[in-house]
Amino acid sequence: MTVDEIRAEIAAALEVPTEQIGPRDNIFDHGLDSIQLMNLVRRWSMPGREVSFVDLIDRPTAADWSALLSGVSHG
């Protein structure tokens, strides 16, 4: 998934314009809660592309989430 796709899904979950979510913003600073995150994990996990709740908490930016979902390591 691209950073922009992830930003759009986060924005939809938060009911805010996508432009308010920067690629390197801490998503939790925008108000994303654990229930919303669990819903995103369920939507984004599929065979060959599994991501865990903990993975996303540890790296809470759209850019990092895009890398995780693409299988690219930035760490």
Side-chain angles (χ1 to χ4, degrees):
M1 292 183 72
T2 69
V3 173
D4 289 338
E5 290 170 332
I6 290 171
R7 288 175 55 230
E9 290 208 32
I10 294 165
L14 295 172
E15 299 179 356
V16 300
T18 301
E19 303 80 45
Q20 287 187 9
I21 310 296
R24 295 268 173 217
D25 291 355
N26 183 317
I27 300 309
F28 303 112
D29 290 345
H30 286 279
L32 191 77
D33 64 32
S34 59
I35 301 297
Q36 292 165 318
L37 179 58
M38 285 190 301
N39 288 333
L40 291 172
V41 168
R42 275 195 295 273
R43 287 171 47 131
W44 294 340
S45 291
M46 61 182 62
R49 186 178 81 192
E50 295 181 16
V51 63
S52 77
F53 184 82
V54 173
D55 289 336
L56 298 181
I57 285 178
D58 286 345
R59 296 171 56 190
T61 71
D64 285 334
W65 292 0
S66 177
L68 285 168
L69 291 165
S70 300
V72 177
S73 175
H74 286 235

